[in-house]
PDB file of all heavy atoms in Angstrom:
ATOM      1  N   VAL A 275     -49.868 -79.746   9.195  1.00 49.00           N
ATOM      2  CA  VAL A 275     -50.343 -80.730   8.191  1.00 49.00           C
ATOM      3  C   VAL A 275     -51.578 -81.454   8.699  1.00 49.00           C
ATOM      4  O   VAL A 275     -52.564 -81.631   7.982  1.00 49.00           O
ATOM      5  CB  VAL A 275     -49.212 -81.733   7.847  1.00 49.00           C
ATOM      6  CG1 VAL A 275     -49.684 -82.764   6.850  1.00 49.00           C
ATOM      7  CG2 VAL A 275     -48.006 -80.986   7.329  1.00 49.00           C
ATOM      8  N   GLN A 278     -54.471 -79.176   8.587  1.00 58.00           N
ATOM      9  CA  GLN A 278     -54.943 -79.013   7.203  1.00 58.00           C
ATOM     10  C   GLN A 278     -55.802 -80.192   6.790  1.00 58.00           C
ATOM     11  O   GLN A 278     -56.883 -80.035   6.194  1.00 58.00           O
ATOM     12  CB  GLN A 278     -53.738 -78.876   6.269  1.00 58.00           C
ATOM     13  CG  GLN A 278     -54.144 -78.471   4.873  1.00 58.00           C
ATOM     14  CD  GLN A 278     -52.943 -78.553   3.911  1.00 58.00           C
ATOM     15  OE1 GLN A 278     -51.816 -78.451   4.339  1.00 58.00           O
ATOM     16  NE2 GLN A 278     -53.259 -78.793   2.660  1.00 58.00           N
ATOM     17  N   ALA A 299     -84.052 -83.340   0.353  1.00 69.00           N
ATOM     18  CA  ALA A 299     -85.103 -82.349   0.151  1.00 69.00           C
ATOM     19  C   ALA A 299     -85.933 -82.694  -1.092  1.00 69.00           C
ATOM     20  O   ALA A 299     -87.174 -82.603  -1.091  1.00 69.00           O
ATOM     21  CB  ALA A 299     -84.475 -80.966   0.005  1.00 69.00           C
ATOM     22  N   ALA A 329     -64.971 -71.824   1.294  1.00 55.00           N
ATOM     23  CA  ALA A 329     -64.014 -72.140   2.365  1.00 55.00           C
ATOM     24  C   ALA A 329     -62.905 -73.036   1.839  1.00 55.00           C
ATOM     25  O   ALA A 329     -61.721 -72.845   2.145  1.00 55.00           O
ATOM     26  CB  ALA A 329     -64.734 -72.818   3.525  1.00 55.00           C
ATOM     27  N   ALA A 336     -54.492 -71.086   0.735  1.00 52.00           N
ATOM     28  CA  ALA A 336     -53.603 -70.947   1.886  1.00 52.00           C
ATOM     29  C   ALA A 336     -52.739 -72.176   2.060  1.00 52.00           C
ATOM     30  O   ALA A 336     -51.546 -72.073   2.328  1.00 52.00           O
ATOM     31  CB  ALA A 336     -54.420 -70.701   3.142  1.00 52.00           C
ATOM     32  N   ILE A 365     -55.598 -63.412   2.293  1.00 91.00           N
ATOM     33  CA  ILE A 365     -55.859 -64.752   2.820  1.00 91.00           C
ATOM     34  C   ILE A 365     -54.975 -65.077   4.018  1.00 91.00           C
ATOM     35  O   ILE A 365     -55.182 -66.073   4.684  1.00 91.00           O
ATOM     36  CB  ILE A 365     -55.693 -65.817   1.704  1.00 91.00           C
ATOM     37  CG1 ILE A 365     -54.319 -65.692   1.052  1.00 91.00           C
ATOM     38  CG2 ILE A 365     -56.802 -65.720   0.686  1.00 91.00           C
ATOM     39  CD1 ILE A 365     -54.028 -66.790   0.056  1.00 91.00           C
ATOM     40  N   PHE A 371     -49.117 -57.066  11.162  1.00 91.00           N
ATOM     41  CA  PHE A 371     -50.183 -56.574  10.286  1.00 91.00           C
ATOM     42  C   PHE A 371     -51.482 -56.453  11.076  1.00 91.00           C
ATOM     43  O   PHE A 371     -52.175 -55.446  11.031  1.00 91.00           O
ATOM     44  CB  PHE A 371     -50.347 -57.531   9.099  1.00 91.00           C
ATOM     45  CG  PHE A 371     -51.375 -57.063   8.105  1.00 91.00           C
ATOM     46  CD1 PHE A 371     -51.007 -56.371   6.966  1.00 91.00           C
ATOM     47  CD2 PHE A 371     -52.743 -57.294   8.308  1.00 91.00           C
ATOM     48  CE1 PHE A 371     -51.957 -55.935   6.058  1.00 91.00           C
ATOM     49  CE2 PHE A 371     -53.687 -56.857   7.419  1.00 91.00           C
ATOM     50  CZ  PHE A 371     -53.294 -56.170   6.280  1.00 91.00           C
ATOM     51  N   ASP A 377     -57.755 -57.572  11.813  1.00 86.00           N
ATOM     52  CA  ASP A 377     -57.873 -58.869  11.143  1.00 86.00           C
ATOM     53  C   ASP A 377     -58.624 -58.672   9.836  1.00 86.00           C
ATOM     54  O   ASP A 377     -59.834 -58.485   9.829  1.00 86.00           O
ATOM     55  CB  ASP A 377     -58.613 -59.839  12.065  1.00 86.00           C
ATOM     56  CG  ASP A 377     -58.612 -61.234  11.491  1.00 86.00           C
ATOM     57  OD1 ASP A 377     -57.900 -61.454  10.480  1.00 86.00           O
ATOM     58  OD2 ASP A 377     -59.336 -62.081  12.024  1.00 86.00           O
ATOM     59  N   LYS A 388     -56.506 -49.211   2.047  1.00 87.00           N
ATOM     60  CA  LYS A 388     -56.778 -47.810   1.727  1.00 87.00           C
ATOM     61  C   LYS A 388     -58.250 -47.422   1.830  1.00 87.00           C
ATOM     62  O   LYS A 388     -58.594 -46.260   1.570  1.00 87.00           O
ATOM     63  CB  LYS A 388     -56.311 -47.516   0.290  1.00 87.00           C
ATOM     64  CG  LYS A 388     -54.817 -47.693   0.116  1.00 87.00           C
ATOM     65  CD  LYS A 388     -54.409 -47.309  -1.278  1.00 87.00           C
ATOM     66  CE  LYS A 388     -52.895 -47.407  -1.421  1.00 87.00           C
ATOM     67  NZ  LYS A 388     -52.470 -47.138  -2.782  1.00 87.00           N
ATOM     68  N   VAL A 399     -49.191 -56.016  -6.574  1.00 93.00           N
ATOM     69  CA  VAL A 399     -49.702 -57.390  -6.459  1.00 93.00           C
ATOM     70  C   VAL A 399     -50.185 -57.866  -7.834  1.00 93.00           C
ATOM     71  O   VAL A 399     -49.851 -58.965  -8.287  1.00 93.00           O
ATOM     72  CB  VAL A 399     -50.835 -57.451  -5.407  1.00 93.00           C
ATOM     73  CG1 VAL A 399     -51.412 -58.858  -5.321  1.00 93.00           C
ATOM     74  CG2 VAL A 399     -50.327 -56.989  -4.057  1.00 93.00           C
ATOM     75  N   VAL A 400     -50.941 -56.970  -8.501  1.00 93.00           N
ATOM     76  CA  VAL A 400     -51.430 -57.302  -9.845  1.00 93.00           C
ATOM     77  C   VAL A 400     -50.254 -57.595 -10.773  1.00 93.00           C
ATOM     78  O   VAL A 400     -50.247 -58.572 -11.517  1.00 93.00           O
ATOM     79  CB  VAL A 400     -52.299 -56.143 -10.402  1.00 93.00           C
ATOM     80  CG1 VAL A 400     -52.610 -56.358 -11.871  1.00 93.00           C
ATOM     81  CG2 VAL A 400     -53.583 -56.005  -9.605  1.00 93.00           C
ATOM     82  N   GLU A 413     -46.511 -46.685  -1.020  1.00 90.00           N
ATOM     83  CA  GLU A 413     -47.959 -46.510  -0.922  1.00 90.00           C
ATOM     84  C   GLU A 413     -48.308 -45.744   0.338  1.00 90.00           C
ATOM     85  O   GLU A 413     -47.625 -45.862   1.357  1.00 90.00           O
ATOM     86  CB  GLU A 413     -48.660 -47.877  -0.858  1.00 90.00           C
ATOM     87  CG  GLU A 413     -48.373 -48.809  -2.024  1.00 90.00           C
ATOM     88  CD  GLU A 413     -49.051 -48.398  -3.315  1.00 90.00           C
ATOM     89  OE1 GLU A 413     -50.037 -47.638  -3.250  1.00 90.00           O
ATOM     90  OE2 GLU A 413     -48.584 -48.816  -4.397  1.00 90.00           O
ATOM     91  N   GLU A 421     -54.931 -43.461  10.926  1.00 89.00           N
ATOM     92  CA  GLU A 421     -53.787 -42.606  10.610  1.00 89.00           C
ATOM     93  C   GLU A 421     -53.163 -43.004   9.266  1.00 89.00           C
ATOM     94  O   GLU A 421     -53.131 -44.185   8.924  1.00 89.00           O
ATOM     95  CB  GLU A 421     -52.726 -42.750  11.707  1.00 89.00           C
ATOM     96  CG  GLU A 421     -53.069 -41.935  12.927  1.00 89.00           C
ATOM     97  CD  GLU A 421     -52.079 -42.161  14.047  1.00 89.00           C
ATOM     98  OE1 GLU A 421     -51.019 -42.770  13.790  1.00 89.00           O
ATOM     99  OE2 GLU A 421     -52.382 -41.730  15.170  1.00 89.00           O
ATOM    100  N   VAL A 479     -17.534 -23.114  -5.477  1.00 95.00           N
ATOM    101  CA  VAL A 479     -16.866 -24.216  -4.790  1.00 95.00           C
ATOM    102  C   VAL A 479     -15.816 -24.775  -5.751  1.00 95.00           C
ATOM    103  O   VAL A 479     -16.117 -25.081  -6.900  1.00 95.00           O
ATOM    104  CB  VAL A 479     -17.872 -25.320  -4.397  1.00 95.00           C
ATOM    105  CG1 VAL A 479     -17.157 -26.484  -3.725  1.00 95.00           C
ATOM    106  CG2 VAL A 479     -18.941 -24.764  -3.472  1.00 95.00           C
ATOM    107  N   GLU A 534      -7.716  -9.453  -0.608  1.00 90.00           N
ATOM    108  CA  GLU A 534      -8.315  -8.502  -1.546  1.00 90.00           C
ATOM    109  C   GLU A 534      -7.727  -8.786  -2.910  1.00 90.00           C
ATOM    110  O   GLU A 534      -6.511  -8.920  -3.038  1.00 90.00           O
ATOM    111  CB  GLU A 534      -7.968  -7.076  -1.123  1.00 90.00           C
ATOM    112  CG  GLU A 534      -9.045  -6.447  -0.287  1.00 90.00           C
ATOM    113  CD  GLU A 534      -8.803  -4.964  -0.080  1.00 90.00           C
ATOM    114  OE1 GLU A 534      -8.519  -4.250  -1.068  1.00 90.00           O
ATOM    115  OE2 GLU A 534      -8.890  -4.552   1.070  1.00 90.00           O
ATOM    116  N   ILE A 548     -13.216  -8.652  -2.057  1.00 92.00           N
ATOM    117  CA  ILE A 548     -12.626  -9.205  -0.844  1.00 92.00           C
ATOM    118  C   ILE A 548     -13.110 -10.655  -0.811  1.00 92.00           C
ATOM    119  O   ILE A 548     -14.295 -10.933  -0.926  1.00 92.00           O
ATOM    120  CB  ILE A 548     -12.991  -8.405   0.424  1.00 92.00           C
ATOM    121  CG1 ILE A 548     -12.286  -9.005   1.629  1.00 92.00           C
ATOM    122  CG2 ILE A 548     -14.475  -8.326   0.688  1.00 92.00           C
ATOM    123  CD1 ILE A 548     -12.030  -8.006   2.718  1.00 92.00           C
ATOM    124  N   SER A 568     -17.027 -14.140  -2.128  1.00 93.00           N
ATOM    125  CA  SER A 568     -16.427 -12.833  -2.390  1.00 93.00           C
ATOM    126  C   SER A 568     -17.487 -11.743  -2.463  1.00 93.00           C
ATOM    127  O   SER A 568     -18.615 -11.986  -2.859  1.00 93.00           O
ATOM    128  CB  SER A 568     -15.631 -12.826  -3.685  1.00 93.00           C
ATOM    129  OG  SER A 568     -15.681 -14.039  -4.327  1.00 93.00           O
ATOM    130  N   LYS A 575     -13.947   0.686  -2.321  1.00 84.00           N
ATOM    131  CA  LYS A 575     -12.544   1.011  -2.535  1.00 84.00           C
ATOM    132  C   LYS A 575     -12.410   2.413  -3.128  1.00 84.00           C
ATOM    133  O   LYS A 575     -11.556   3.197  -2.745  1.00 84.00           O
ATOM    134  CB  LYS A 575     -11.924  -0.003  -3.491  1.00 84.00           C
ATOM    135  CG  LYS A 575     -11.058  -1.083  -2.856  1.00 84.00           C
ATOM    136  CD  LYS A 575     -10.291  -0.610  -1.740  1.00 84.00           C
ATOM    137  CE  LYS A 575      -9.075  -1.316  -1.354  1.00 84.00           C
ATOM    138  NZ  LYS A 575      -8.692  -1.152   0.016  1.00 84.00           N
ATOM    139  N   LEU A 609       6.500  45.029   4.580  1.00 94.00           N
ATOM    140  CA  LEU A 609       5.855  46.254   4.107  1.00 94.00           C
ATOM    141  C   LEU A 609       5.851  47.312   5.217  1.00 94.00           C
ATOM    142  O   LEU A 609       6.240  48.474   4.999  1.00 94.00           O
ATOM    143  CB  LEU A 609       4.419  45.913   3.683  1.00 94.00           C
ATOM    144  CG  LEU A 609       3.624  46.948   2.906  1.00 94.00           C
ATOM    145  CD1 LEU A 609       4.275  47.239   1.556  1.00 94.00           C
ATOM    146  CD2 LEU A 609       2.208  46.438   2.658  1.00 94.00           C
ATOM    147  N   ILE A 661      -4.474  28.536 -27.272  1.00 93.00           N
ATOM    148  CA  ILE A 661      -4.385  28.236 -25.840  1.00 93.00           C
ATOM    149  C   ILE A 661      -2.938  27.889 -25.465  1.00 93.00           C
ATOM    150  O   ILE A 661      -2.397  28.400 -24.487  1.00 93.00           O
ATOM    151  CB  ILE A 661      -5.306  27.043 -25.468  1.00 93.00           C
ATOM    152  CG1 ILE A 661      -6.738  27.266 -25.957  1.00 93.00           C
ATOM    153  CG2 ILE A 661      -5.252  26.751 -23.968  1.00 93.00           C
ATOM    154  CD1 ILE A 661      -7.541  28.251 -25.170  1.00 93.00           C
ATOM    155  N   ASN A 715      13.059  21.825  -8.101  1.00 79.00           N
ATOM    156  CA  ASN A 715      13.351  20.920  -6.986  1.00 79.00           C
ATOM    157  C   ASN A 715      14.426  19.893  -7.308  1.00 79.00           C
ATOM    158  O   ASN A 715      14.735  19.036  -6.489  1.00 79.00           O
ATOM    159  CB  ASN A 715      12.084  20.141  -6.591  1.00 79.00           C
ATOM    160  CG  ASN A 715      11.200  20.989  -5.714  1.00 79.00           C
ATOM    161  OD1 ASN A 715      11.672  21.835  -4.974  1.00 79.00           O
ATOM    162  ND2 ASN A 715       9.909  20.769  -5.817  1.00 79.00           N
TER     163      ASN A 715
END
Side-chain angles (χ1 to χ4, degrees):
Chain A
V275 179
Q278 190 189 335
I365 54 174
F371 183 97
D377 187 9
K388 297 184 177 176
V399 178
V400 170
E413 303 287 340
E421 280 176 12
V479 178
E534 265 190 48
I548 183 153
S568 1
K575 258 324 203 205
L609 192 63
I661 308 285
N715 279 330

